Amino acid sequence: MRLSQYFMPILRDDPKEAEIISHRLMLRAGMIRQEAAGSYSWLPMGFRVLKKIEQIVREEQDRAGAIEVLMPTLQSADLWKKSGRYDAYGKEMLRVKDRHDREMLYGPTNEEVITDIFRSGIQSYKDVPRNLYHIQWKFRDEVRPRFGVMRGREFLMKDAYSFDLTAEAGQHSYNKMFVAYLRTFARLGLKAVPMRADTGPIGGDSSHEFLVLAETGESGVFFDKDFHAMDWENFDIDYDDVGAVKNLVAEFTSKYAATDEKHDVVEFDARVAKDKQLSGRGIEVGHIFFFGDTYSKPLGCEVQGPDGKKVTLQSGSYGIGVSRLVGGIIEASHDKGGIIWPEAVAPFKVGLINIKAGDAEADAASDKIYKALQAKGVEVLYDDRAQPGGAKFATMDLIGLPWQVIIGPRGLKDGMAEVKHRKTDARENVALDKVVEKFTA
Ligand code: ATP
Ligand code: MG
C-alpha cells in the first residue's frame, strides 16, 4: 500500500479525551474514530489489526475442535425471558422494539440463543460433545465506557459454548478452551495469566479470567512470582489426550493468582513466600466459565442418553475480548515513539520509507523494492509522500510496524538501504538487492 493513496488520519497532538496510552496511540495512529460513547469506527490501520487478532483467535478455536457459526446481533427477548435473565440483566442491556412492537435486544452475550440453536439441532447423546463459537459484535450499555476500545459499549467478542453429556466430560471441554487460550495469547505475543474467577452460585474451580499485566488494567491482581519463570510460548498438545490437557491446566493453575475480587490474603501468605508475592494491575482479555445446566435446564436442552432416559446437557461459555485485545497489546508493547506491534498482528510487516520522494534515483530504488516485496507477499506500507524525512520517521515509529526499510541518497551511493527493527532499534545496512530476501528467507 502506498501511503500517498491510503487513509491513515494521523494526529500530531495527544487527544485530550484519551486517558491511557493505548487509547492515545490508537487515535494518533489513525486506527479508530469515536462515533458515540464507547462506540468506534475501525479505520484501515485499526481494522487490519482487528482482523489479524480475530484470525488467530479463530485458528486456535478451530484447532481445539470448536466449530464456527454466526448469530445475529439483534436477538428476540423471548429466550431471555425463559432463562430469567431478561429482567436480571438490567440497564446494561440495550432493548429495542421492532415495528410490530416485539421486544428485541442487542446481544450482550449469547448463552440463550446458542442453547436454543443446539437444542433444536440434536437428538441423542451421539450429538455431543460439541463446542460452537462465533465472533460477533456485542453491545453492553456500560456505566462508564472508557479507555477507548478497552471498555467499549459496542465491542467484538469471540464467544464459544460447549455442550456435554456429563459434568466430567464438560470439564475436558473446559480444559481444552483453557489450553486454547494459552496458545492464542502466546501467538498474540502476550502473557495472559489465568486467574481464579467468580463462579457465582455454582462454585467450584470452574471459572478463570486471563489477565495481561499492565499498569492501566482495571483489575487488581495478586500472583506468584514463579509465573514469570514458566514457559509461556510452547503449548504443543493433543487435544484428545484428556490427561495431557488436564495436566497442562493443572500446571497453570497450581500457582496462586487471583484478581482483587477473589483475592484471599491468608491463602496468599500460606501458599506464596513473602519475597515471591507480586501484585499489580491487569487487563481481562478472556474469561472461561463452566456453569453446568444453568441455561440448558430452563431452555430444555436435553438429549436421549445411552439408556434411553433424557439427560440435560452440561455447558460452559468461553469469551475473548477481540477488540479489547487491540488496546491490550498496545498497553503491553509500546515506547516513547509509539506502538510496537508483535509481528503476528502488525497491520503491515514492513514500512518502506523513501526519504527523498521526488528524487528520480530514490523513487526508482524505492519503487523497485516496494514491488518486489509485494510480489513476494510481504505486507508493506510505502511512505512515498513528499514529506521531510524526520516527519516520516516519527510517523513510522508511531504506527509501530515491526520493520522499517529506509531509502535515501546517502545509502544509495553505495547501493544500500537501511533496515531498522522497530522493537530493538537495531539498524543494519543491506544491499538493495538483498532487502527482499531479508523478509522472505
Ligand atoms: P469486565 O469484567 O471487564 O466487565 P466481563 O466479565 O463483563 O468483563 P465477559 O462477560 O467475561 O466480560 O466477556 C468476555 C470478554 O469480553 C472479557 O474477558 C473481555 O475481554 C471482553 N469484554 C467484556 N466487556 C467488554 C467491554 N465493555 N469492552 C470491550 N471488551 C469487553
Ligand atoms: Mg469476566
Side-chain angles (χ1 to χ4, degrees):
M1 177 55 64
R2 286 174 181 270
L3 206 36
S4 63
Q5 289 162 31
Y6 204 38
F7 185 72
M8 188 177 81
I10 296 280
L11 301 181
R12 248 172 227 299
D13 300 312
D14 272 341
K16 281 195 283 302
E17 71 269 26
E19 293 171 71
I20 60 169
I21 190 76
S22 59
H23 189 195
R24 273 205 294 279
L25 289 172
M26 286 181 75
L27 290 169
R28 284 197 50 209
M31 294 176 65
I32 50 169
R33 193 184 81 131
Q34 183 173 325
E35 299 303 344
S39 152
Y40 294 86
S41 289
W42 291 80
L43 306 185
M45 284 295 262
F47 190 57
R48 287 181 79 97
V49 177
L50 187 69
K51 285 285 157 189
K52 291 209 167 163
I53 296 174
E54 182 184 317
Q55 185 55 22
I56 289 174
V57 169
R58 173 177 292 118
E59 284 170 17
E60 292 304 328
Q61 291 294 295
D62 292 348
R63 194 191 299 270
I67 307 161
E68 188 168 15
V69 297
L70 184 60
M71 293 171 263
T73 51
L74 284 172
Q75 306 178 9
S76 151
D78 297 347
L79 293 171
W80 289 74
K81 289 183 176 165
K82 277 195 200 161
S83 76
R85 282 210 290 183
Y86 191 58
D87 293 326
Y89 221 94
K91 288 196 154 186
E92 246 175 52
M93 181 186 275
L94 182 68
R95 297 153 204 258
V96 285
K97 281 195 177 153
D98 69 9
R99 65 198 298 163
H100 305 293
D101 237 17
R102 279 191 282 256
E103 290 172 291
M104 318 254 321
L105 56 102
Y106 196 120
T109 180
N110 282 65
E111 281 81 1
E112 281 81 356
V113 178
I114 197 76
T115 304
D116 196 53
I117 290 174
F118 198 65
R119 175 195 63 74
S120 65
I122 50 161
Q123 266 135 29
S124 85
Y125 65 94
K126 290 178 189 153
D127 295 321
V128 290
R130 293 287 187 279
N131 182 329
L132 302 178
Y133 78 98
H134 74 161
I135 302 175
Q136 176 64 294
W137 293 90
K138 306 289 186 289
F139 193 95
R140 294 182 185 175
D141 206 346
E142 301 270 358
V143 192
R144 240 193 114 195
R146 56 181 182 158
F147 301 159
V149 300
M150 300 263 264
R151 183 163 298 281
R153 292 198 297 169
E154 189 173 348
F155 59 95
L156 188 60
M157 193 203 287
K158 183 285 298 180
D159 37 328
Y161 304 88
S162 62
F163 297 91
D164 281 277
L165 206 56
T166 64
E168 193 191 2
Q171 186 65 49
H172 179 55
S173 295
Y174 180 88
N175 289 348
K176 284 204 283 189
M177 283 293 110
F178 190 111
V179 173
Y181 279 36
L182 291 175
R183 289 186 55 97
T184 302
F185 297 127
R187 284 185 63 188
L188 295 173
L190 293 171
K191 188 190 277 185
V193 181
M195 307 206 178
R196 206 192 304 157
D198 222 353
T199 49
I202 289 162
D205 196 18
S206 56
S207 177
H208 289 91
E209 291 176 346
F210 289 74
L211 285 101
V212 173
L213 304 174
E215 279 164 36
T216 46
E218 291 189 273
S219 316
V221 296
F222 301 84
F223 60 102
D224 190 327
K225 189 180 173 190
D226 285 347
F227 264 113
H228 287 315
M230 297 177 77
D231 181 354
W232 288 88
E233 272 160 37
N234 304 297
F235 300 108
D236 265 335
I237 192 120
D238 171 1
Y239 279 111
D240 293 327
D241 187 336
V242 177
V245 173
K246 187 176 172 188
N247 287 342
L248 190 53
V249 173
E251 192 189 333
F252 276 82
T253 51
S254 64
K255 296 176 183 41
Y256 188 94
T259 60
D260 37 18
E261 282 171 11
K262 292 290 282 181
H263 182 50
D264 179 337
V265 186
V266 178
E267 191 191 335
F268 198 31
D269 280 339
R271 288 178 54 191
V272 187
K274 273 270 181 241
D275 62 332
K276 287 194 170 175
Q277 293 185 359
L278 295 185
S279 65
R281 306 203 64 78
I283 301 164
E284 182 193 321
V285 289
H287 187 177
I288 58 177
F289 193 5
F290 184 73
F291 44 69
D293 62 6
T294 304
Y295 301 98
S296 298
K297 208 169 185 176
L299 295 170
C301 186
E302 50 185 30
V303 292
Q304 198 110 50
D307 58 1
K309 285 197 198 128
K310 293 264 188 222
V311 185
T312 303
L313 295 181
Q314 297 283 319
S315 288
S317 71
Y318 313 92
I320 290 184
V322 176
S323 51
R324 177 179 286 183
L325 273 165
V326 181
I329 292 170
I330 297 175
E331 289 295 325
S333 184
H334 66 268
D335 66 10
K336 272 209 310 262
I339 303 166
I340 303 173
W341 289 116
E343 231 162 273
V345 301
F348 297 89
K349 181 172 181 173
V350 176
L352 175 62
I353 302 176
N354 180 356
I355 304 183
K356 218 168 174 203
D359 173 85
E361 204 190 341
D363 287 354
S366 304
D367 286 4
K368 193 171 172 198
I369 290 183
Y370 174 61
K371 285 185 185 133
L373 285 170
Q374 279 197 320
K376 291 282 182 190
V378 178
E379 293 175 311
V380 51
L381 184 65
Y382 174 18
D383 193 347
D384 58 341
R385 299 167 308 166
Q387 263 201 1
K392 290 188 171 184
F393 294 143
T395 298
M396 212 45 102
D397 279 357
L398 172 66
I399 65 174
L401 309 183
W403 297 95
Q404 297 175 12
V405 174
I406 302 156
I407 312 269
R410 212 178 321 148
L412 283 178
K413 273 197 300 217
D414 309 320
M416 293 288 193
E418 186 180 33
V419 175
K420 169 178 151 175
H421 188 220
R422 172 71 180 85
K423 185 172 176 181
T424 57
D425 200 35
R427 290 154 193 274
E428 170 186 13
N429 287 322
V430 177
L432 289 171
D433 58 355
K434 296 273 186 259
V435 169
V436 174
E437 259 169 54
K438 183 145 176 74
F439 302 106
T440 51

